[in-house]
């Protein structure tokens, strides 16, 4: 049964209609401790839903809906590593990405935490190299601008992380995000950049997304043209962020890029054509 056809959904919709034009001011006036009652702490997060149009009845109806859809059961299945992503038939282990090194999270009987940390370590080592200047562009110049090419979650995710952690970014590095397949987006993003100082991150979970591959291919042409036609320069200016290691390795835009062991954990790593994948 679809969510919006369930009796619990209908009860919520009816309740919403009954609330009508009730104003938050009325809810605060009739319940002076509302601000204390309808707030909670979860770890570092302070959640304040007192300023939403909710009453005790609303919360009860929401709980009924969650119970009817087995949210708690699915949450537990997620933590157990069961394949609750039914469209991709895979586990949804965002929890594993945040787990400490010594945690044990099993998928199909295998603890995935070491694989996650191996990828995180690789990503950190690469990022450190860019920040310190140990990783340079093909001409030996330091990387000054990082351009993320991706769409949907592969644009919003990196952009959100950048916005959230902006205060901690290296101030001698600039970051740009290209997602629109309209060539104007990439054109404007690289207009004032020196290819010798530019690193492209091609972010795509599947590495099959037409907009991203199109933009990456255009970026590659811009880079090679800007560096005097030197195709080998691509290896120092493109990395892939993907769960599809084979595809990202063979991509024309990131021919020298390796992902991790194909474990399904997103990886951003690279190598030179000479050294092969680590
Ligand atoms: O990361 P990918 O595989 O390039 O996909 C990009 C986006 O395209 C979608 O698959 C569909 O819009 C989104 O779910 C995803 O964020």
């Amino acid at each position: 049964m679809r969510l919006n056809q369930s009796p619990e959904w209908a009860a919520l919709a009816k309740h919403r209609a009954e609330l009508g034009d009730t104003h938050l001011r009325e809810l605060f006036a009739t319940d002076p401790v509302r601000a204390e009652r309808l707030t909670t702490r979860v770890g570092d997060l302070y959640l304040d839903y007192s300023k939403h149009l909710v009453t005790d009845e609303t919360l009860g109806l929401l709980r009924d809906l969650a119970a009817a859809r087995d949210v708690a059961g699915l949450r537990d299945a997620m933590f157990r590593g069961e394949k609750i992503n039914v469209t991709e038939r895979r586990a949804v282990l965002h929890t594993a990405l945040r787990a400490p090194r010594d945690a044990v999270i099993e998928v199909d009987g295998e603890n995935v935490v070491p694989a996650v940390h191996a990828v995180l370590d690789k990503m950190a080592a690469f990022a450190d190299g860019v920040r310190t200047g140990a990783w340079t562009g093909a001409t030996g110049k330091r990387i000054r601008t990082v351009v993320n090419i991706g769409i949907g979650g592969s644009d919003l995710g990196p952009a959100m992380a950048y916005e959230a952690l902006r205060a901690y970014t290296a101030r001698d590095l600039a970051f740009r995000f290209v997602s629109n397949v309209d060539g104007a987006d990439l054109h404007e993003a690289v207009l004032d950049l020196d290819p010798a100082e530019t690193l492209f991150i091609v972010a795509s979970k599947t590495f099959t997304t037409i907009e991203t591959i199109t933009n990456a291919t255009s970026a590659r042409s811009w880079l090679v043209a800007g560096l005097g036609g030197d195709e080998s320069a691509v290896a120092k200016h493109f990395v892939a962020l993907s769960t599809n290691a084979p595809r990202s390795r063979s991509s024309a835009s990131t021919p020298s890029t390796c992902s991790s062991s194909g474990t399904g954990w997103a990886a951003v790593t690279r190598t030179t054509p000479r050294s092969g994948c680590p």
Side-chain angles (χ1 to χ4, degrees):
M1 184 192 298
R2 295 179 69 91
L3 175 72
N4 61 3
Q5 288 168 348
S6 65
E8 293 79 12
W9 182 273
L12 255 177
K14 180 167 171 284
H15 168 66
R16 174 64 189 93
E18 285 163 3
L19 274 176
D21 293 332
T22 305
H23 199 281
L24 270 183
R25 274 194 295 270
E26 293 168 46
L27 297 179
F28 273 98
T30 52
D31 181 5
V33 290
R34 179 178 171 84
E36 288 87 66
R37 234 164 37 79
L38 301 185
T39 52
T40 192
R41 278 191 186 278
V42 183
D44 289 343
L45 295 178
Y46 176 68
L47 304 175
D48 178 359
Y49 44 98
S50 69
K51 295 172 187 72
H52 283 274
L53 192 59
V54 293
T55 65
D56 290 329
E57 188 182 354
T58 320
L59 294 177
L61 290 170
L62 283 169
R63 275 189 216 103
D64 291 346
L65 182 66
R69 306 307 287 194
D70 194 25
V71 170
L74 285 166
R75 176 201 60 203
D76 294 343
M78 178 182 78
F79 278 107
R80 284 196 300 272
E82 289 178 21
K83 295 177 183 168
I84 62 166
N85 177 346
V86 288
T87 53
E88 295 181 28
R89 285 192 282 280
R90 58 192 287 179
V92 187
L93 283 167
H94 306 95
T95 46
L97 295 178
R98 297 164 179 79
R101 233 171 250 282
D102 57 355
V104 176
I105 299 176
E106 294 192 343
V107 179
D108 295 334
E110 189 195 337
N111 179 18
V112 298
V113 175
V116 169
H117 276 274
V119 172
L120 291 174
D121 290 345
K122 273 189 181 179
M123 292 168 77
F126 178 69
D128 281 344
V130 173
R131 273 192 295 268
T132 60
W135 179 263
T136 65
T139 67
K141 280 186 165 182
R142 281 184 73 153
I143 299 298
R144 296 292 175 198
T145 307
V146 179
V147 181
N148 187 83
I149 296 177
I151 194 167
S154 295
D155 169 57
L156 296 170
M160 186 199 70
Y162 167 65
E163 288 297 335
L165 302 172
R166 201 174 193 158
Y168 307 100
T169 55
R171 296 301 164 150
D172 54 354
L173 278 171
F175 300 87
R176 294 184 183 174
F177 296 85
V178 172
S179 107
N180 197 325
V181 74
D182 186 325
D185 203 13
L186 177 68
H187 176 78
E188 288 300 321
V190 298
L191 198 59
D192 57 344
L193 298 185
D194 177 356
E197 299 183 340
T198 303
L199 174 75
F200 291 96
I201 298 176
V202 183
S204 176
K205 187 173 90 165
T206 57
F207 233 81
T208 58
T209 308
I210 190 77
E211 292 90 337
T212 299
I213 302 305
T214 303
N215 277 329
T217 306
S218 305
R220 184 188 200 279
S221 303
W222 172 83
L223 181 101
V224 172
L227 293 178
D230 179 7
E231 296 273 338
S232 68
V234 173
K236 300 287 282 183
H237 294 270
F238 277 82
V239 294
L241 172 59
S242 185
T243 58
N244 189 345
R247 194 121 189 176
S248 64
R249 272 191 208 109
S250 62
S251 165
S253 57
T254 55
S256 60
T257 302
C258 302
S259 186
S260 70
S261 53
T263 50
W265 307 108
V268 57
T269 52
R270 56 7 62 184
T271 184
T272 66
R274 283 188 311 279
S275 62
C277 293

